[in-house]
Amino acid sequence: MMMSDSKKSVVFHLGFLALLFLLQFILPAYHHGNLARIMVLATYAMGYNILFGYTGLLSLGHAMFFAAGMYGMGLTMTHLGWTAGPGMLAGLLAGGLVSAGIGFLALRTSGVSFMIVTLMFAQAGFLTILYFGEWTRGDEGFVIRQADRVFAGIDLSHPTYRYLAALLLFGICLMLTIRLMQSRFGHVLIAIRENEERTQMLGYDVHFHKWMAVIASGTMAAVAGAAYALLFGYAGATFASVQYSIFPLLWVLLGGAGTALGPFIGTLFMFYLIDLSSSLTTAYMLIAGVALVLLTLFLPQGLVGEWRRKMMPWLT
Amino acid sequence: MAQKDDAMADMTTPHINTKGLSRNFGGLIAVNAVDFEVPKGEIRAIIGPNGAGKSTFVGMLCGRIAPSSGEIMFAGQNITAMPAHRRIRQGMAYTFQITSIFARLTLKENVRLATSWRWNGDESAIEEATHAALEQVGLADRMHQIAGDLSYGHQRLLEIAMGISQHPELLILDEPTQGLADSEIASFVKLIRDLGGDMTILLIEHNMNVVMDTADKITVLNLGTELATGTPQDIRANKAVQTAYLGETHA
């Protein structure tokens, strides 16, 4: 029975990826471009979800992981002349190292202290990027030349390839998340979220599992950051700022914490909420704000969370 | 479960013992220099008035609470500094005084979490141990229910199922019958008797009928020190114990 539930979930998500693949043929150029961006940002949110949604640790500093990937890639490409492939790898490694280091230190705290410590580390990371403005060009940021945004001969600045690359990244990370959460390791993360003390007293090294969750979460966020810079050609300090730490929290809450698809649905929803309301009024943040309040009041488990509760209890 | 070598070395080695085990909370001495030993396979009840230090004492045995001083030996190995999760993997199991389960998961998922490392991913062994443990406490027909929906008494039984599903060598039960109905207490007593012999059991218990019906020996704690240890008959007749429980006037 458990096997068939997890298979159902895998099939469902593969079907969803197929839908995203087909959408590129019918979407108008504007929405086509938006969706590529949303898929990359949703990958960031999926990384955040591993730690927040599945493990129950609320970080307010994930922008530092996103930025670690972005600058790990951007700086090696710009200053060391690396190509896109090694650049992406540098972004991934930067994310892994930063999250291992920060996780090691921040996990000495828990609860509210963990939130504050991650917020402070991220702020320190943001200021570090500004401080080394000579290389990072600070707030202004830097453009990654179109000529460099080529992987295996494919021009990633071209909308079609950019969409496919974003879909590939999103699809891999989505299926990895599902694989992870269906594994024994993932079950222990959920157990930690549900009852940390009991989990330890069943014989699990809670601290180690949390650390691994921070690393998995931070590395996925970093890969999304690197991909964002590569696909959209720009790296800047804004992406390390506090609002980029808050965004994934909002996206995940809206879409459904602890659901594999929640981060995507939340990112999509918020992106278009702001897009549509800003075409109506300059006070678009007011509309967005009210919508968010209503959603949290009436759908506390997020869109996918409620949907799972009502219709698909087997969803990962 | 690879610590057998030391354990086998000497059959007279106690399964678990402590030397001068103490714990202070600020100025309060909760447990004061307790020397304690239990041979393998014995069912030992730990009793004492409220605030006697029982929970603190077993909390130190299983690693939830760090001792202020003293030593703990388990199966011939000094485990004083060993973290709790490793003690569990060495063959201890612990049930909480205040029910602590995974309320939003099913009963089956609760027990599977307890057993899955124990059989190292062997799916059929995990399934079997999960079923057997739920069967033993009489909850097998509810295994797909959400644990938080169970009555309090059933949640306590689930917690015991999680403990025994690990097939521990030492099972520590902190007030397991609290909140159970009389019929559930009767089957609990039978379960403990069945398990005794295979595993060493430490039982903190307030219900004297349960203690007298299950324990091979009883240790009485009072004000953080060991007041007496003996068979149920010895303890029943012990003047100091009567005084501790009933007050000076009784003597």
Side-chain angles (χ1 to χ4, degrees):
Chain A
M1 189 161 171
M2 252 176 127
M3 274 308 288
S4 80
D5 273 5
S6 54
K7 271 203 185 112
K8 252 196 270 184
S9 181
V10 167
V11 169
F12 174 83
H13 289 98
L14 285 174
F16 189 82
L17 291 175
L19 180 74
L20 285 176
F21 179 79
L22 293 176
L23 271 177
Q24 64 176 316
F25 301 115
I26 52 169
L27 283 179
Y30 175 68
H31 296 294
H32 182 269
N34 284 349
L35 199 52
R37 200 176 291 264
I38 288 166
M39 286 190 286
V40 178
L41 291 174
T43 305
Y44 174 30
M46 279 196 292
Y48 188 81
N49 192 32
I50 292 176
L51 194 63
F52 172 66
Y54 289 110
T55 318
L57 286 171
L58 200 158
S59 147
L60 288 178
H62 258 51
M64 72 185 136
F65 304 137
F66 190 72
M70 178 173 264
Y71 283 95
M73 193 217 62
L75 293 177
T76 50
M77 283 182 76
T78 306
H79 297 292
L80 303 177
W82 290 18
T83 56
M88 281 295 290
L89 205 61
L92 184 145
L93 283 177
L97 285 174
V98 170
S99 53
I102 301 290
F104 182 78
L105 297 170
L107 284 173
R108 289 159 180 270
T109 66
S110 62
V112 175
S113 318
F114 182 78
M115 290 158 58
I116 308 250
V117 167
T118 48
L119 180 70
M120 289 303 145
F121 272 123
Q123 207 53 21
F126 173 64
L127 294 172
T128 306
I129 291 169
L130 294 186
Y131 183 80
F132 291 102
E134 203 181 316
W135 292 285
T136 64
R137 306 202 54 79
D139 258 339
E140 192 186 308
F142 57 90
V143 166
I144 295 163
R145 290 180 307 137
Q146 193 177 336
D148 292 335
R149 292 158 59 195
V150 174
F151 181 72
I154 297 165
D155 177 8
L156 294 173
S157 67
H158 186 281
T160 304
Y161 298 123
R162 182 164 66 192
Y163 187 96
L164 287 173
L167 177 60
L168 185 69
L169 171 79
F170 174 73
I172 290 173
C173 289
L174 178 70
M175 297 325 284
L176 273 179
T177 303
I178 291 169
R179 235 353 242 284
L180 180 72
M181 296 326 297
Q182 288 181 346
S183 71
R184 256 169 74 197
F185 183 83
H187 290 159
V188 176
L189 296 189
I190 292 174
I192 291 171
R193 178 191 73 194
E194 294 295 315
N195 189 339
E196 181 170 336
E197 199 179 27
R198 177 75 269 185
T199 308
Q200 184 184 26
M201 294 314 293
L202 287 181
Y204 296 102
D205 187 342
V206 164
H207 192 268
F208 176 78
H209 279 81
K210 283 180 171 176
W211 191 43
M212 288 298 122
V214 173
I215 294 172
S217 173
T219 306
M220 193 178 284
V223 170
Y228 196 89
L230 184 64
L231 297 183
F232 302 100
Y234 171 77
T238 328
F239 293 108
S241 68
V242 86
Q243 65 172 339
Y244 268 84
S245 288
I246 304 295
F247 279 145
L249 172 62
L250 279 179
W251 296 331
V252 167
L253 278 174
L254 277 179
T259 63
L261 216 48
F264 175 83
I265 299 294
T267 311
L268 180 81
F269 184 87
M270 183 113 153
F271 190 95
Y272 275 101
L273 184 67
I274 288 175
D275 190 61
L276 292 175
S277 53
S278 59
S279 69
L280 296 175
T281 164
T282 50
Y284 64 93
M285 281 313 276
L286 186 68
I287 297 183
V290 169
L292 294 185
V293 169
L294 289 177
L295 266 172
T296 20
L297 274 178
F298 295 107
L299 298 176
Q301 298 194 30
L303 295 162
V304 181
E306 292 293 330
W307 172 14
R308 171 169 69 180
R309 195 169 64 83
K310 294 206 175 91
M311 285 180 287
M312 297 183 177
W314 41 265
L315 218 51
T316 307
Chain B
M1 286 107 305
Q3 86 287 22
K4 296 276 165 45
D5 313 345
D6 325 57
M8 287 305 180
D10 181 3
M11 290 306 284
T12 61
T13 308
H15 196 196
I16 183 154
N17 66 310
T18 67
K19 285 198 194 91
L21 196 64
S22 304
R23 171 70 204 206
N24 315 325
F25 293 107
L28 175 80
I29 303 170
V31 174
N32 190 6
V34 171
D35 295 329
F36 174 83
E37 60 175 70
V38 181
K40 198 165 174 60
E42 183 177 307
I43 301 176
R44 172 73 60 90
I46 301 175
I47 65 170
N50 284 325
K54 306 182 294 291
S55 285
T56 306
F57 179 67
V58 294
M60 289 190 280
L61 297 186
C62 69
R64 291 181 66 212
I65 299 169
S68 304
S69 60
E71 280 189 351
I72 308 164
M73 309 286 286
F74 177 52
Q77 193 186 358
N78 188 330
I79 60 162
T80 314
M82 185 184 281
H85 66 269
R86 281 190 47 212
R87 298 187 197 194
I88 305 295
R89 297 217 171 194
Q90 297 281 319
M92 279 193 195
Y94 173 81
T95 70
F96 286 78
Q97 179 178 10
I98 296 161
T99 307
S100 181
I101 53 168
F102 303 104
R104 297 199 294 177
L105 306 183
T106 66
L107 274 67
K108 188 176 170 183
E109 285 165 339
N110 268 270
V111 182
R112 278 185 65 94
L113 277 164
T115 57
S116 65
W117 61 263
R118 183 71 171 77
W119 280 273
N120 208 12
D122 177 351
E123 195 54 38
S124 64
I126 294 169
E127 279 291 302
E128 198 182 310
T130 303
H131 277 257
L134 283 168
E135 196 77 54
Q136 272 178 295
V137 299
L139 289 175
D141 51 337
R142 294 172 185 265
M143 71 169 93
H144 298 297
Q145 286 185 21
I146 299 293
D149 295 342
L150 294 179
S151 71
Y152 183 76
H154 283 157
Q155 291 188 7
R156 295 223 55 104
L157 292 174
L158 171 60
E159 181 139 9
I160 292 164
M162 290 161 83
I164 61 181
S165 74
Q166 296 186 325
H167 295 194
E169 293 174 18
L170 171 66
L171 177 63
I172 302 174
L173 300 162
D174 197 347
E175 300 200 17
T177 65
Q178 204 181 55
L180 293 192
D182 287 346
S183 62
E184 289 166 340
I185 289 179
S187 43
F188 171 79
V189 167
K190 185 178 174 303
L191 173 66
I192 294 303
R193 282 184 175 157
D194 290 348
L195 292 173
D198 290 343
M199 52 181 90
T200 311
I201 298 175
L202 291 183
L203 181 68
I204 295 186
E205 187 53 68
H206 276 302
N207 185 327
M208 279 307 143
N209 294 329
V210 173
V211 171
M212 293 300 169
D213 285 352
T214 54
D216 298 318
K217 275 190 172 178
I218 300 172
T219 292
V220 187
L221 291 182
N222 187 36
L223 301 172
T225 56
E226 184 188 359
L227 193 61
T229 292
T231 63
Q233 290 72 25
D234 295 343
I235 296 300
R236 234 191 258 266
N238 188 307
K239 281 279 182 288
V241 174
Q242 289 171 3
T243 307
Y245 264 92
L246 302 169
E248 294 291 343
T249 51
H250 179 80

